[in-house]
C-alpha cells in the first residue's frame, strides 16, 4: 500500500533546474502520479513552505534514506520509476500529469536566505529538531545534499535554523553555546618549542643547493644583505665591483677629493697642470677653445648660484641679478671675461672691473671686444663699482705665476672692495695653497684636475674643459672621467 511509505525520509533529484529536495513523505497519490514531502529541504536549505508536491514527470531520481521503524535500506533507489506497494511511479518518460507541482519560486527562496542561512544553524537545535522528527541522534548534519551515493546509514544534510517547529523562539544562548565541544584542549600550544624544531639555516641551505643544481636563479637568502632602498639614479644590477680610484697621477699634489658618487679625484701640482695644458694646446685644444669652455662652465655654475630658473624668468625681469667681475691682466682674467660675456647673454647685469694697461694680452683684447657687444658695463676704477651689495662676486684677480701683482694699488683696492661688499665670492681657477688668497671665496672652480687649494678656497668644484683621455696619458695620468652627465661637479675633501 502507498500508506506504508508515509513518514519515510527520501531524497528526490529533479535535475539541474529544480535541484534536489529532501524530506518526509506526507502523501502519495497513485492516480495523479504525485508525491508530497513535509518539512522539505531544497539543496541543503530549509524550504519556506511546510510541504512540497512533485509530479512523476519531474522526478529524475528518488532515494529512500530511512523507513519508519527501520534503517535506511542500502541501494534502494530508483531512476526513472519508483515502486510503491507493487505499483510503479512513472519517470520522466511517462505521460505528463495535469496536477500542479507546488515548488517554491527562486524569488521566494532568495527572500528567505537571510533568515535561513546554514551558518546560523546550531548543532543543538539540529539535534532537537531531528529528535522531534523521530530520527536517531547519530543522524548528523552535512553541508551539502543528502543524495551522495557514498553515505552510510546515519548521514544527513545540514538543516536551516530559522524558527523552531514548536513555534517558540529557542533561547539564544542555547543556540550559540548549547552544543558541547567534542574535544577540549587541556594545555596551551607551545609556539616556542615548535619554532625551535624548525632549522631555518638547514632549510635555506637545502633550497640554495636545489637551486644551484637546477640552474634556476635564486631570489635571495637571509644571508644576503642588500640596501632596503635605492636612489632613482642608482643601478642595483652590478656586473662587477666598483673601482672608486679611477684616476692615477704620477705624483700627488698633496690633497685628494671625492665626488658625490664616491670616485676619488687626486690633486696635481701646478707644474703638472701647466704641462697638461701645453700638451693639449699642441694637439689642437687652443687657448681660445679653453677660454670658451671655462667661460661656459663658470657661467653655468654662476647662473645656478644666482637662483637658476627660480630667479631668471620672464616674470622677474625687473629684478635682474647683478654680478661684479674682478679680472686681472692675465689668462685667468680672460677666463673671467669669457664668463661675464655668457652671463650677460643670459640677461644678467654684469659689471666688469679691469685695470688699464698700456699693453694687453691678445686673448684679453679679443674677449673684451666680444664683451663690449653684450651691453655689459666695464670699469677700470674701484670707485665705479657699486657701493651696495651685489648678488655675486667673481674673482679672477690672482695669477699662478705673477705674484707681484698683489703689490699693485688697483689689486689692493679691488680686494678691499670685495671684502667689504659682503656678497658671496666665486673664484675661477684659484692659485695653489702656497699663495694665500686675498679674497675669501665661498666657491672655487678648478679646470680639468684640481690643484691643492688653501683652506679659505671654500667649496671646490671641478669643470671639464674638453681635454681628451689620451692627452692625460701622455703626461703620465691614468684618467677616467668623473663627470658623468655633467660638465661641473662638486668635490669633497677626504
Amino acid at each position: 500500500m502507498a500508506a506504508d511509505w508515509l513518514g519515510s525520509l527520501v531524497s528526490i533529484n529533479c535535475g539541474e533546474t529544480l535541484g534536489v529536495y529532501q524530506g518526509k513523505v506526507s502523501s502519495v497519490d497513485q492516480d495523479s502520479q504525485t508525491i508530497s514531502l513535509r518539512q522539505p529541504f531544497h539543496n541543503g536549505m530549509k524550504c519556506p513552505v511546510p510541504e512540497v508536491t512533485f509530479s512523476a514527470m519531474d522526478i529524475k531520481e528518488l532515494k529512500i534514506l530511512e523507513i519508519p521503524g527501520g534503517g535506511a535500506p542500502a541501494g534502494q533507489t530508483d531512476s526513472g520509476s519508483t515502486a510503491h506497494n507493487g505499483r510503479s511511479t512513472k519517470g520522466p518518460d511517462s505521460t505528463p500529469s495535469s496536477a500542479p507541482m507546488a515548488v517554491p519560486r527562486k524569488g521566494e527562496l532568495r527572500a528567505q536566505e537571510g533568515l535561513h542561512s546554514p551558518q546560523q544553524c546550531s548543532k543543538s537545535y539540529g539535534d532537537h529538531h531531528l529528535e522531534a522528527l523521530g530520527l536517531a541522534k547519530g543522524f548528523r548534519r552535512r553541508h551539502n545534499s543528502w543524495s551522495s551515493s557514498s553515505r552510510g546509514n546515519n548521514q544527513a544534510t545540514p538543516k536551516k535554523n530559522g524558527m523552531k517547529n514548536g513555534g517558540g523562539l529557542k533561547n539564544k544562548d542555547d543556540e550559540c553555546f548549547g552544543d558541547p565541544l567534542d574535544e577540549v584542549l587541556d594545555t596551551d600550544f607551545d609556539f616556542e618549542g615548535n619554532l625551535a624544531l624548525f632549522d631555518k639555516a638547514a632549510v635555506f641551505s637545502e633550497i640554495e643547493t636545489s637551486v644551484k643544481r637546477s640552474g634556476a636563479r635564486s631570489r635571495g637568502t637571509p644571508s644576503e644583505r642588500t640596501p632596503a632602498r635605492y636612489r632613482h639614479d642608482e643601478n642595483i644590477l652590478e656586473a662587477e665591483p666598483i673601482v672608486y680610484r679611477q684616476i692615477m697621477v704620477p705624483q700627488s699634489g698633496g690633497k685628494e677629493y671625492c665626488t658625490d658618487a664616491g670616485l676619488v679625484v687626486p690633486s696635481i701640482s701646478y707644474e703638472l697642470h701647466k704641462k697638461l695644458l701645453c700638451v693639449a694646446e699642441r694637439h689642437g685644444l687652443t687657448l681660445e677653445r679653453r677660454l670658451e669652455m671655462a667661460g661656459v662652465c663658470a657661467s653655468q655654475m654662476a647662473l645656478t648660484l644666482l637662483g637658476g630658473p627660480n630667479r631668471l624668468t620672464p616674470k622677474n625681469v625687473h629684478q635682474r641679478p647683478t654680478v661684479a667681475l674682478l679680472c686681472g691682466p692675465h689668462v685667468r682674467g680672460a677666463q673671467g671675461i669669457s664668463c661675464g660675456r655668457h652671463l650677460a647673454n643670459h640677461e644678467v647685469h654684469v659689471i666688469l672691473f679691469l685695470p688699464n694697461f698700456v699693453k694687453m694680452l691678445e686673448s684679453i683684447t679679443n674677449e673684451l671686444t666680444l664683451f663690449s657687444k653684450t651691453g655689459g658695463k666695464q670699469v677700470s676704477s674701484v670707485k665705479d663699482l657699486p657701493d651696495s651689495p651685489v648678488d655675486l662676486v667673481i674673482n679672477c684677480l690672482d695669477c699662478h705665476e705673477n705674484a707681484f701683482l698683489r703689490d699693485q694699488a688697483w689689486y689692493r683696492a679691488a680686494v678691499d672692495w670685495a671684502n667689504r661688499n659682503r656678497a658671496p665670492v666665486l673664484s675661477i681657477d684659484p692659485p695653489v695653497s702656497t699663495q694665500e688668497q686675498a679674497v675669501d671665496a665661498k666657491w672655487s672652480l678648478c679646470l680639468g684636475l684640481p690643484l691643492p687649494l688653501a683652506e679659505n678656497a671654500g667649496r671646490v668644484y671641478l669643470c671639464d674643459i674638453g681635454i681628451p683621455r689620451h692627452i692625460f696619458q701622455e703626461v703620465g695620468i691614468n684618467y677616467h672621467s668623473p663627470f658623468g652627465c655633467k660638465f661641473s661637479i662638486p668635490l669633497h675633501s677626504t
Side-chain angles (χ1 to χ4, degrees):
M1 297 294 293
D4 296 340
W5 299 100
L6 298 180
S8 300
L9 192 62
V10 299
S11 174
I12 298 177
N13 185 359
C14 298
E16 296 181 357
T17 305
L18 298 179
V20 179
Y21 287 81
Q22 300 91 16
K24 285 189 175 183
V25 179
S26 59
S27 65
V28 178
D29 191 343
Q30 297 180 356
D31 296 332
S32 60
Q33 294 291 300
T34 61
I35 181 172
S36 299
L37 302 181
R38 60 185 174 88
Q39 299 176 355
F41 281 78
H42 178 223
N43 293 334
M45 300 175 61
K46 185 177 179 61
C47 293
V49 294
E51 188 175 71
V52 180
T53 302
F54 300 91
S55 176
M57 62 176 292
D58 297 319
I59 299 175
K60 304 297 182 182
E61 183 182 13
L62 188 148
K63 293 185 179 181
I64 301 176
L65 303 178
E66 187 172 342
I67 300 176
Q76 190 167 351
T77 64
D78 193 356
S79 177
S81 65
T82 306
H84 295 281
N85 197 17
R87 301 178 65 181
S88 63
T89 301
K90 294 183 180 180
D93 297 333
S94 61
T95 303
S97 174
S98 61
M101 179 178 64
V103 179
R105 296 191 299 271
K106 291 184 178 181
E108 298 177 359
L109 291 177
R110 292 175 180 173
Q112 298 294 332
E113 279 187 359
L115 297 176
H116 304 286
S117 175
Q119 286 77 4
Q120 299 176 355
C121 181
S122 64
K123 289 186 178 180
S124 59
Y125 173 76
D127 293 339
H128 295 316
H129 188 63
L130 290 175
E131 290 175 2
L133 296 177
L135 301 178
K137 190 173 183 179
F139 189 82
R140 309 299 298 174
R141 297 175 297 130
R142 292 181 63 88
H143 182 66
N144 295 324
S145 173
W146 285 347
S147 61
S148 174
S149 60
S150 62
R151 296 196 177 107
N153 295 332
N154 295 328
Q155 291 177 337
T157 192
K159 293 189 176 182
K160 293 287 294 180
N161 182 21
M163 293 183 293
K164 294 183 59 178
N165 292 333
L169 293 176
K170 191 173 178 62
N171 186 276
K172 294 182 178 180
D173 293 338
D174 190 18
E175 290 183 6
C176 294
F177 311 107
D179 207 21
L181 295 176
D182 296 333
E183 296 181 1
V184 179
L185 297 177
D186 296 332
T187 58
D188 294 335
F189 182 75
D190 188 5
F191 287 96
E192 295 182 0
N194 284 269
L195 184 60
L197 298 177
F198 176 60
D199 190 357
K200 292 187 287 186
V203 171
F204 280 113
S205 177
E206 182 179 353
I207 293 175
E208 189 173 357
T209 303
S210 62
V211 168
K212 289 181 179 179
R213 289 178 180 176
S214 61
R217 184 176 180 178
S218 175
R219 292 184 179 268
T221 61
S223 61
E224 295 180 357
R225 295 184 179 180
T226 56
R229 295 182 180 179
Y230 297 94
R231 300 195 311 270
H232 66 282
D233 57 349
E234 184 176 359
N235 185 12
I236 64 173
L237 301 178
E238 298 179 358
E240 56 185 15
I242 301 176
V243 179
Y244 291 99
R245 188 177 293 274
Q246 299 181 0
I247 301 177
M248 305 294 294
V249 296
Q251 57 181 10
S252 175
K255 285 189 177 182
E256 284 189 344
Y257 302 92
C258 65
T259 65
D260 290 337
L263 299 178
V264 179
V265 180
S267 64
I268 59 176
S269 62
Y270 172 71
E271 290 75 15
L272 183 59
H273 191 272
K274 183 178 179 181
K275 182 180 179 180
L276 176 65
L277 297 181
C278 291
V279 174
E281 188 171 356
R282 190 173 68 246
H283 285 282
L285 187 61
T286 61
L287 177 61
E288 289 75 14
R289 289 186 175 184
R290 200 167 74 239
L291 293 176
E292 192 68 19
M293 284 296 300
V296 170
C297 293
S299 61
Q300 286 180 348
M301 182 176 176
L303 291 173
T304 303
L305 297 177
L306 291 172
N310 298 324
R311 180 77 181 275
L312 302 170
T313 60
K315 297 181 180 180
N316 202 24
V317 293
H318 62 288
Q319 293 181 344
R320 292 171 55 191
T322 302
V323 174
L325 195 59
L326 307 180
C327 299
H330 39 64
V331 176
R332 275 73 191 170
Q335 294 173 352
I337 300 172
S338 175
C339 173
R341 170 167 53 88
H342 289 289
L343 290 177
N345 290 337
H346 287 79
E347 301 300 328
V348 176
H349 183 54
V350 180
I351 302 175
L352 170 61
F353 168 77
L354 181 66
N356 288 326
F357 283 88
V358 177
K359 186 177 181 180
M360 292 282 191
L361 295 177
E362 183 181 359
S363 57
I364 294 182
T365 303
N366 295 335
E367 291 296 335
L368 282 176
T369 302
L370 292 174
F371 179 79
S372 63
K373 305 300 181 181
T374 63
K377 182 179 179 181
Q378 179 184 353
V379 298
S380 58
S381 176
V382 177
K383 296 179 181 181
D384 298 329
L385 292 174
D387 297 331
S388 59
V390 295
D391 293 281
L392 181 65
V393 174
I394 299 179
N395 180 21
C396 298
L397 293 173
D398 295 304
C399 179
H400 294 289
E401 298 174 349
N402 299 329
F404 67 90
L405 293 176
R406 292 174 175 243
D407 299 330
Q408 300 292 326
W410 62 266
Y411 181 91
R412 292 195 302 266
V415 169
D416 292 339
W417 179 89
N419 291 331
R420 290 195 317 265
N421 193 263
R422 301 192 304 272
V425 178
L426 169 63
S427 294
I428 299 178
D429 196 12
V432 294
S433 58
T434 56
Q435 300 182 17
E436 183 179 356
Q437 294 192 26
V439 180
D440 293 338
K442 191 172 183 179
W443 308 280
S444 294
L445 182 63
C446 297
L447 311 180
L449 282 177
L451 300 173
L453 303 181
E455 295 297 333
N456 60 346
R459 190 172 183 182
V460 181
Y461 282 76
L462 184 67
C463 72
D464 183 11
I465 57 175
I467 302 177
R469 179 179 178 181
H470 290 288
I471 294 179
F472 282 98
Q473 293 179 353
E474 284 192 31
V475 297
I477 300 176
N478 186 10
Y479 180 82
H480 293 269
S481 175
F483 293 98
C485 62
K486 300 179 180 180
F487 280 88
S488 298
I489 58 174
L491 297 181
H492 310 278
S493 299
T494 57

